[in-house]
């Protein structure tokens, strides 16, 4: 199926990656500071952060992604400027459920330059079924109201609740760097 030369080249690249890879020192610091447990399995792009609080089991689901490639002459010019900071963004989902129950809330979120933004809020009766299909979700599934269509007081309450669970700009930065 593949030539021996191609296989050998791929194996060399994988060996180099495994040999040269050094985990960012900020990762264990973030995990200790926030109490999240990182689940990053080989052969999967799905990454999870798990945490138990007195009130909730918190799960954060996001995907590994390829680094952004320089696309235009302007991007290439900006990349040479040492003060240039490209915009970072990661899509992720937050699942909150009471321990011992199957029902919970799913928040579809994204980061933008480390800040966390919520797009949708969904109430789910069986989070086990939902989570097992999280990567298969499509736009035909009702995703709940748009966050910014909610009453401003409710938006503020959800934002305060997020901060109380440790869903802060530190998490946003972690997601952008780790993914």
């Amino acid at each position: 199926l593949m030539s021996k030369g191609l296989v050998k080249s791929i194996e060399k690249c994988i060996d180099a990656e495994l040999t040269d890879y050094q985990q960012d020192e900020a990762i264990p610091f973030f995990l200790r500071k926030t109490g999240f447990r990182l689940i990053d399995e080989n052969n999967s792009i799905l990454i999870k952060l798990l945490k138990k609080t007195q009130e909730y089991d918190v799960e954060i689901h996001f995907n590994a992604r390829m680094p952004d490639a320089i696309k235009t002459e302007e991007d290439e010019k900006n990349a040479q400027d040492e003060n240039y900071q490209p915009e970072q963004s990661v899509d992720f989902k937050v699942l909150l459920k009471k321990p011992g129950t199957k029902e919970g809330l799913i928040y579809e979120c994204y980061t933008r330059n480390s800040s966390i933004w919520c797009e949708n809020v969904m109430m789910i009766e069986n989070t086990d079924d939902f989570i097992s299909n999280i990567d298969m979700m499509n736009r035909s599934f009702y995703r709940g109201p748009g966050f910014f269509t909610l009453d401003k007081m409710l938006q503020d309450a959800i934002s305060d609740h997020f901060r109380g669970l440790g869903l802060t700009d530190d998490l946003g930065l972690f997601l952008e760097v780790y993914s």
Side-chain angles (χ1 to χ4, degrees):
L1 192 60
M2 288 193 289
S3 74
K4 290 181 183 179
L6 177 58
V7 171
K8 195 173 230 173
S9 293
I10 292 172
E11 288 172 346
K12 277 185 177 180
C13 286
I14 291 171
D15 287 344
E17 279 287 319
L18 294 174
T19 303
D20 296 340
Y21 174 75
Q22 294 180 2
Q23 187 179 51
D24 187 328
E25 294 174 8
I27 293 170
F29 176 78
F30 170 82
L31 297 173
R32 276 191 309 273
K33 177 182 168 189
T34 61
F36 280 107
R37 184 169 53 98
L38 178 68
I39 307 295
D40 186 357
E41 298 173 351
N42 290 336
N43 301 318
S44 175
I45 63 168
L46 180 63
I47 304 166
K48 300 177 201 172
L49 290 170
L50 307 175
K51 177 179 179 176
K52 292 187 180 292
T53 69
Q54 288 181 346
E55 289 185 72
Y56 299 100
D57 291 341
V58 181
E59 295 183 22
I60 298 172
H61 296 249
F62 63 106
N63 290 327
R65 59 193 169 114
M66 295 293 294
D68 293 331
I70 295 175
K71 295 178 180 82
T72 66
E73 285 181 31
E74 183 179 337
D75 289 338
E76 193 171 313
K77 187 175 151 185
N78 287 335
Q80 293 176 7
D81 176 3
E82 58 189 54
N83 295 322
Y84 174 70
Q85 294 290 329
E87 189 170 276
Q88 298 290 319
S89 181
V90 173
D91 294 330
F92 65 102
K93 293 172 183 57
V94 176
L95 165 64
L96 297 180
K97 67 178 187 173
K98 297 264 186 193
T101 66
K102 290 186 177 214
E103 56 194 36
L105 293 173
I106 303 275
Y107 298 89
E108 286 188 303
C109 304
Y110 64 95
T111 66
R112 179 82 53 193
N113 292 330
S114 302
S115 294
I116 292 178
W117 299 89
C118 187
E119 287 186 292
N120 298 88
V121 181
M122 295 168 270
M123 192 166 211
I124 304 296
E125 289 181 16
N126 188 339
T127 55
D128 294 339
D129 288 344
F130 186 81
I131 290 303
S132 66
N133 295 313
I134 203 162
D135 287 333
M136 306 294 221
M137 286 176 55
N138 60 42
R139 290 294 167 187
S140 66
F141 180 81
Y142 177 64
R143 299 172 115 60
F147 184 76
F148 292 104
T149 65
L150 299 175
D151 180 80
K152 177 74 170 117
M153 286 178 34
L154 182 54
Q155 290 178 33
D156 291 343
I158 290 171
S159 296
D160 290 344
H161 191 229
F162 266 30
R163 281 189 289 282
L165 294 169
L167 309 180
T168 64
D169 289 356
D170 288 343
L171 171 66
L173 179 60
F174 176 85
L175 295 173
E176 290 170 357
V177 169
Y178 195 86
S179 69

